[in-house]
Amino acid sequence: MELKIIDGDFSVCRVKDLSKVNFGGNYYFIGKTDEEFSLVCETKDVPDNAEKREDNWKAFRFEGVLDFSLTGILSAATAVLAEERIGIFAVSTYNTDYILVRADKLEAAVSALKKAGCKFKAF
């Protein structure tokens, strides 16, 4: 399994609405439920209508396109991190999965995943 650390700082936010989201940014993930709009984006792109926000996240992704028939990839990685007591915020896209960890836990996360056999494209 190959992972790539995404350069930049990320934030997890709850926004009032999507009117001020920078859809031109490099990364943004949006979730909508009957209770909220959630946004994960680069910290520099947090909109001013964020009602709550958690800064200081780092992200990495599984490289390549993950076929929908593959099972347990995200689960295996998160289990390794859970054993090290590293909290995560996971996001899935059509192609792949992303894991966010607190910035102060990034090195520990990378170390644990390397020990478990993961390779990193850059760090």
Side-chain angles (χ1 to χ4, degrees):
M1 190 172 355
E2 187 174 45
L3 301 162
K4 179 181 179 186
I5 296 171
I6 307 299
D7 189 32
D9 298 312
F10 286 82
S11 296
V12 179
C13 312
R14 186 177 75 200
V15 294
K16 182 178 177 182
D17 57 52
L18 303 178
S19 65
K20 297 191 176 185
V21 173
N22 176 12
F23 290 107
N26 289 326
Y27 298 94
Y28 62 89
F29 305 96
I30 296 171
K32 179 190 179 300
T33 70
D34 61 334
E35 296 180 330
E36 66 176 312
F37 286 104
S38 289
L39 170 69
V40 177
C41 64
E42 291 182 274
T43 301
K44 66 182 179 59
D45 291 329
V46 171
D48 62 12
N49 68 341
E51 298 173 321
K52 289 188 173 187
R53 65 188 277 177
E54 294 285 332
D55 297 330
N56 300 311
W57 292 88
K58 294 291 190 177
F60 50 90
R61 73 170 168 235
F62 295 89
E63 284 294 276
V65 176
L66 301 179
D67 189 275
F68 284 111
S69 66
L70 298 173
T71 59
I73 293 174
L74 182 60
S75 175
T78 58
V80 168
L81 298 175
E83 286 179 22
E84 297 294 322
R85 298 199 176 288
I86 298 172
I88 62 119
F89 191 96
V91 179
S92 295
T93 66
Y94 188 89
N95 284 347
T96 194
D97 297 317
Y98 292 74
I99 297 176
L100 288 86
V101 298
R102 294 285 188 177
D104 64 342
K105 299 290 186 183
L106 180 64
E107 287 184 39
V110 169
S111 177
L113 290 166
K114 282 182 176 179
K115 285 179 190 171
C118 294
K119 298 190 183 320
F120 279 83
K121 197 169 183 176
F123 182 64

